[in-house]
Amino acid sequence: SCLCVCASPISPGDVCSICRMTSFDGRTLASSAASAVPLLVHGRRRVKEGLVDEFKERFSSLAASSTRPGSGIHAMFAFADHDDPRVFWHVFWSAGASSFAHDASQQESLAAYYESSEQDPDALDCYGGWTEGLAAANSSVTYRFHAPMAGFVKADDAGLIPEGPPLFGFTKRYVKPGCMDDLASSFQTVSDLWRAKVPGILGASVSRDPDHADRVHDLRLFANHDAYLKHTDKSDDALTAAMGVWFANYDTSRPFIGEIYAPDPNDERLHKSSVTSSPAPPIGLTSFRLGAPEMLGPIPTGEQRKA
């Protein structure tokens, strides 16, 4: 026998009674994680009335056991919504779809806490190395799979594991009429420069919003705050010029919205445009502090990304 990725004893090839995923032995999991494209899943889940405290305890325990080094699960955490204490924002980051055994909707031990149903599902956005097989995992969740128009999500840290904690940005931005193709091509130029020059930028992609034809989802994943600061290096003329061309495709009269998870979400640089100040787009981002007492699950670290 061995341990499933959720730390339950199981024989290789069997289906885990806890997370319902087929087990991997250590060698298979490490190989899969090394060759897969990382997967990020983000969204809000509703918890049944009267079960919030039990949910918090169970989620925290499961997240702690799931994110051990070598598991392929880089991050698993959640925060209560600032306005609705029964709604929790979930973030999962795994080495690939094969090691994504810890989406809470797939956990038998967590499923009973959620209010969603096949008739009234919750929705989770999937970025990076998703597979359509995830869609059949749970009928009470709608998985919205994002095909990137441009950008990248690193399969590793370019041989390095920078010190964390990381910063996660899941934002939605409106695009000027007729500029969607130009946005994609110009962002690819920017993301190529980021990937070449800033090892700590682990992911940057843009994809169409499934509900709004003129809006995109912008994903950002930084290994640490230093990587975030370097993504707008004003001393780099080529990068600054490329970012200006890219940013010109956004409709800055409409707000940038979304969620940010960072060690210091009150840093004003996270809440204003890093490219332009005039005209500056309205910023309507909701922020959560990694390591805050109300955070469910451990703070992501470089150790969790080691095989």
Side-chain angles (χ1 to χ4, degrees):
S1 65
C2 62
L3 288 180
C4 176
V5 289
C6 70
S8 302
I10 186 175
S11 297
D14 286 350
V15 175
C16 178
S17 61
I18 300 299
C19 67
R20 307 305 301 169
M21 298 295 286
T22 302
S23 69
F24 301 89
D25 60 38
R27 181 175 56 187
T28 302
L29 179 59
S31 175
S32 174
S35 61
V37 175
L39 171 68
L40 289 103
V41 177
H42 175 249
R44 58 197 298 275
R45 300 296 314 270
R46 296 163 295 164
V47 175
K48 293 177 181 176
E49 189 171 0
L51 296 181
V52 169
D53 289 341
E54 290 183 32
F55 166 77
K56 289 180 178 180
E57 182 178 352
R58 180 55 187 155
F59 186 99
S60 297
S61 175
L62 185 61
S65 64
S66 299
T67 54
R68 69 189 188 282
S71 68
I73 307 300
H74 301 332
M76 176 181 176
F77 59 86
F79 286 89
D81 185 83
H82 293 320
D83 298 319
D84 189 338
R86 290 201 297 116
V87 170
F88 285 81
W89 290 92
H90 289 48
V91 176
F92 302 92
W93 175 22
S94 68
S98 62
S99 56
F100 178 61
H102 300 288
D103 172 353
S105 67
Q106 297 182 37
Q107 303 294 333
E108 286 191 344
S109 58
L110 288 176
Y113 296 105
Y114 293 117
E115 193 171 73
S116 60
S117 64
E118 186 173 356
Q119 294 72 33
D120 183 22
D122 287 332
L124 296 174
D125 290 295
C126 302
Y127 309 91
W130 53 266
T131 65
E132 293 186 1
L134 290 176
N138 192 298
S139 59
S140 68
V141 176
T142 297
Y143 291 95
R144 304 197 297 187
F145 302 114
H146 288 260
M149 300 165 59
F152 66 91
V153 177
K154 287 184 179 178
D156 55 34
D157 296 332
L160 303 171
I161 303 288
E163 292 294 325
L167 287 78
F168 301 80
F170 302 92
T171 65
K172 303 177 183 68
R173 310 180 184 191
Y174 287 93
V175 180
K176 292 177 180 177
C179 291
M180 194 66 75
D181 290 342
D182 290 340
L183 173 79
S185 60
S186 59
F187 184 71
Q188 189 61 55
T189 300
V190 171
S191 61
D192 287 345
L193 291 170
W194 281 343
R195 186 165 191 168
K197 298 185 176 188
V198 189
I201 300 179
L202 306 181
S205 73
V206 61
S207 58
R208 290 181 181 272
D209 188 305
D211 300 321
H212 300 269
D214 58 348
R215 197 168 75 178
V216 295
H217 286 222
D218 275 18
L219 168 70
R220 301 290 184 272
L221 176 57
F222 300 98
N224 48 41
H225 196 68
D226 182 62
Y228 170 78
L229 296 178
K230 289 179 178 177
H231 93 287
T232 55
D233 183 359
K234 301 298 185 181
S235 68
D236 188 322
D237 293 338
L239 177 60
T240 300
M243 292 186 72
V245 173
W246 155 56
F247 204 81
N249 294 291
Y250 288 116
D251 181 352
T252 56
S253 70
R254 306 174 76 177
F256 289 179
I257 61 175
E259 292 73 41
I260 292 177
Y261 305 86
D264 184 13
N266 294 322
D267 186 333
E268 64 177 12
R269 289 168 292 191
L270 297 175
H271 296 273
K272 65 181 182 180
S273 171
S274 55
V275 179
T276 183
S277 58
S278 179
I283 306 295
L285 301 176
T286 301
S287 58
F288 301 92
R289 182 169 70 86
L290 297 178
E294 64 271 19
M295 177 180 178
L296 307 183
I299 300 175
T301 68
E303 287 296 317
Q304 293 158 344
R305 301 199 300 276
K306 292 182 178 178

